[in-house]
Amino acid sequence: MAEDTSRWGFETRAIHAGQAPDPRTGSVIVPIYATSTFAQDGVGGLREGGYEYSRTANPTRTALEEALAALEGAKHALAFGSGMAAADTALRALTRPGDHVILGGDAYGGTFRLLDKVLKLWGVEHTAVDLADPTATRAAIRPNTKVIWAETPSNPLLGIIDIAALAGVAAESGVKLVIDNTFATPYLQSPLGLGADVVLHSTTKYLGGHSDVVGGALVTSDDDLREQFFFLRNAVGGVPGPFDSWLVLRGAKTLALRMERHSDNAERVVEALVGHPKVTKVYYPGLAEHPGHETAAKQMRRFGGMVSFSVAGGEAEALAIASRTKLFILGESLGGIESLIEHPGKMTHASTTGSPLQVSGDVLRLSVGIEDATDLVDDLLTALG
Ligand code: PLP
């Protein structure tokens, strides 16, 4: 029986939830249970914890899942081998052939690809909608709509959706609301408390936090949904190994500290970009002129470490700038301690080319790390020229 951690503050949950000292040895850190199977006391006689086979459950993974659930203020979390494995399990558990999914008009390219190139072949349709507009969202709901899938802040344009308002629209029609909370993290935003049914994480990003592991998670307080996700994960097998689970758990311990610093540094970078002659637009929900600023201020603790911007000179100039930064490493992914720069149109979101989700060629996306902010600003200003 898991301990009730709800009375603890966020930082305490990050370090202690699911992570009591190992009962056998007193190890303060949860061990990496590198085992595929578990001895049984007679056929079907599972020992304490009920472990049987590591595809189904593994103690290191259980510790991670208890920590993730505690951080999101939820009853259940399930860890996966990647964010996409988590997304696939959620979508396949929640839909059947003939069903329909509504996706935000600005979403991670891989989520769009999963719907457009994989699930479509199995008869699940999808529509991209501006989810910040409740009228447009209501109008897009069909009798066969089963899921609304939203990212806030979204990838890559940092669009903001009012989660409580969207949860209201979804509930009116009996549609499940899934929030991809990868950009915000549970430290900055708690979608389940605002009415979402499921939270998805690519734990590869801020939760892991050190760019050394790929993982994902589904978090929910709905017992039935947890059972469906658990069944499908076990049936399909998209689980993380014990070492990967351990890396995410270790990263999550410092999430609060890192998110404060990511947010501080992003604010310094935004300050340098706004008004720069080579920059035509900055996308950051902390800016008063961002259309989602008020909503973000209401539902987020701070505005996070992701910043996108458009440059004068279009795609050619954007690509040139991305090749000139030194501290901002040119690479996909985000949420690690080191700063990254990427061109969504040609990299993370290339699969949206020709679709309504296509990202303009003049956009660059930054994952602002926790280095010295002055060094980061200098690096960017030098690259902008
Ligand atoms: N959701 C968002 C917002 C992402 O940025 C990503 C990956 O970049 C994913 C989901 C997929 O996660 P993973 O790469 O861990 O499969």
Side-chain angles (χ1 to χ4, degrees), residues 30-32 58-65 68 79-81 203 213-215 233 239-252:
V30 172
I32 301 168
N58 173 283
T60 314
R61 197 164 85 216
T62 304
L64 170 63
E65 293 175 341
L68 291 176
F80 289 81
T203 56
V213 62
V214 170
R233 183 185 64 172
V239 293
F243 182 52
D244 286 1
S245 301
W246 186 87
L247 281 173
V248 176
L249 187 59
R250 182 172 68 164

Side-chain angles (χ1 to χ4, degrees), residues 52-296:
E52 183 178 10
Y53 184 61
S54 281
R55 171 159 37 76
T56 313
N58 173 283
T60 314
R61 197 164 85 216
T62 304
L64 170 63
E65 293 175 341
E66 288 180 11
L68 291 176
L71 293 181
E72 286 287 1
K75 276 172 82 176
H76 313 291
L78 292 171
F80 289 81
S82 69
M84 291 319 302
D88 179 59
T89 288
L91 285 166
R92 280 202 284 159
L94 295 171
T95 63
R96 296 289 175 271
D99 286 343
H100 175 243
V101 173
I102 294 176
L103 178 70
D106 173 28
Y108 172 56
T111 307
F112 173 73
R113 181 176 56 201
L114 175 64
L115 282 161
D116 197 54
K117 299 281 188 291
V118 182
L119 294 173
K120 201 156 97 180
L121 302 179
W122 303 100
V124 176
E125 304 174 297
H126 62 89
T127 313
V129 176
D130 175 8
L131 295 173
D133 177 351
T135 313
T137 307
R138 265 192 202 95
I141 295 178
R142 306 177 190 168
N144 59 343
T145 304
K146 292 286 159 45
V147 179
I148 297 177
W149 190 283
E151 286 176 23
T152 182
S154 64
N155 185 0
L157 296 180
L158 286 303
I160 297 293
I161 295 157
D162 185 327
I163 298 173
L166 188 60
V169 172
E172 277 165 23
S173 309
V175 173
K176 296 292 183 209
L177 176 61
V178 180
I179 298 287
D180 183 334
N181 207 23
T182 298
F183 269 36
T185 80
Y187 180 66
L188 298 182
Q189 176 173 279
S190 304
L192 299 175
L194 297 169
D197 298 289
V198 180
V199 159
L200 174 131
H201 281 289
S202 167
T203 56
T204 314
K205 310 296 172 0
Y206 289 107
L207 275 159
H210 296 73
S211 304
D212 51 12
V213 62
V214 170
L218 294 176
V219 191
T220 184
S221 287
D222 183 316
D223 297 340
D224 288 344
L225 288 181
R226 189 263 175 201
E227 282 319 301
Q228 291 173 47
F229 296 157
F230 182 84
F231 173 81
L232 201 50
R233 183 185 64 172
N234 188 46
V236 176
V239 293
F243 182 52
D244 286 1
S245 301
W246 186 87
L247 281 173
V248 176
L249 187 59
R250 182 172 68 164
K253 289 173 199 282
T254 55
L255 182 67
L257 292 171
R258 287 185 287 106
M259 291 316 292
E260 288 290 345
R261 177 65 174 237
H262 283 297
S263 301
D264 288 345
N265 283 2
E267 285 171 12
R268 288 279 304 279
V269 162
V270 165
E271 225 175 81
L273 290 175
V274 169
H276 189 284
K278 287 259 180 84
V279 175
T280 54
K281 188 162 181 182
V282 179
Y283 309 87
Y284 188 64
L287 286 170
E289 61 267 30
H290 186 292
H293 176 67
E294 273 183 34
T295 305

